């Protein structure tokens, strides 16, 4: 299937994921849209449906050995229909056990 648009979706308080994921989806050679869901006011009520011919890259960081707390609403508004999706978690290589569990 031909991908016609790619999305970078991230929670990125210190901007590492933002730059990594932007570079990642821009490498796909299709139009790109960034959805920065870092701020609670942006996540609140956020909703987006992705199509089958779109690709989504979702990224979260490890803080304190786990995914950040209070992010239940991060995925709530993301809906796909056979959408190609990859997820990634960035770390600085310490205390990642709880995140992997
Ligand atoms: C407050 C804080 C806590 C962190 N805790 C961990 C950790 O426990 N293990 C780890 O491997 N990296 C840890 N990191 C590193 C982050 O996972 C890494 O810098 C990541 O790229 C941050 O993503 P962001 O820049 O998109 O916010 C921590 C960073 C911060 C700022």
């Amino acid at each position: 299937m031909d991908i016609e648009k790619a999305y970078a979706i991230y929670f990125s308080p210190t901007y590492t994921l933002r730059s990594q994921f932007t570079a990642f989806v821009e490498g796909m050679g299709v139009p790109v849209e960034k959805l920065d869901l870092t701020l609670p006011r942006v996540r609140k009520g956020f909703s987006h449906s992705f199509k089958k011919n779109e690709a989504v890259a979702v990224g979260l960081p490890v803080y304190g050995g786990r995914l950040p707390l209070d992010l239940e609403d991060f995925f709530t508004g993301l809906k796909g229909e056979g959408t190609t999706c990859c997820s990634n978690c960035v770390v600085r290589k310490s205390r990642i056990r709880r995140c992997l569990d």
Side-chain angles (χ1 to χ4, degrees), residues 66-101:
R66 53 167 299 155
L67 295 178
L69 295 172
D70 299 327
L71 279 185
E72 290 83 4
D73 57 352
F74 185 90
F75 295 100
T76 308
L78 306 178
K79 309 264 186 285
E81 278 188 35
T83 308
T84 300
C85 179
C86 75
S87 60
N88 191 20
C89 194
V90 295
V91 301
R92 206 178 281 151
K93 285 200 207 157
S94 67
R95 300 188 301 157
I96 59 171
R97 172 52 50 198
R98 273 192 297 162
C99 174
L100 294 174
D101 289 345

Side-chain angles (χ1 to χ4, degrees), residues 11-18 61-66 90-96:
F11 175 89
S12 183
T14 57
Y15 307 139
T16 311
L17 268 162
R18 181 170 75 173
V62 166
Y63 281 176
R66 53 167 299 155
V90 295
V91 301
R92 206 178 281 151
K93 285 200 207 157
S94 67
R95 300 188 301 157
I96 59 171

Side-chain angles (χ1 to χ4, degrees), residues 32-51:
V32 164
E33 187 170 335
K34 293 178 269 183
L35 300 178
D36 184 346
L37 301 185
T38 305
L39 297 177
R41 66 175 161 76
V42 176
R43 294 196 301 275
K44 191 174 163 84
F46 177 84
S47 177
H48 193 103
S49 294
F50 302 95
K51 301 181 190 133

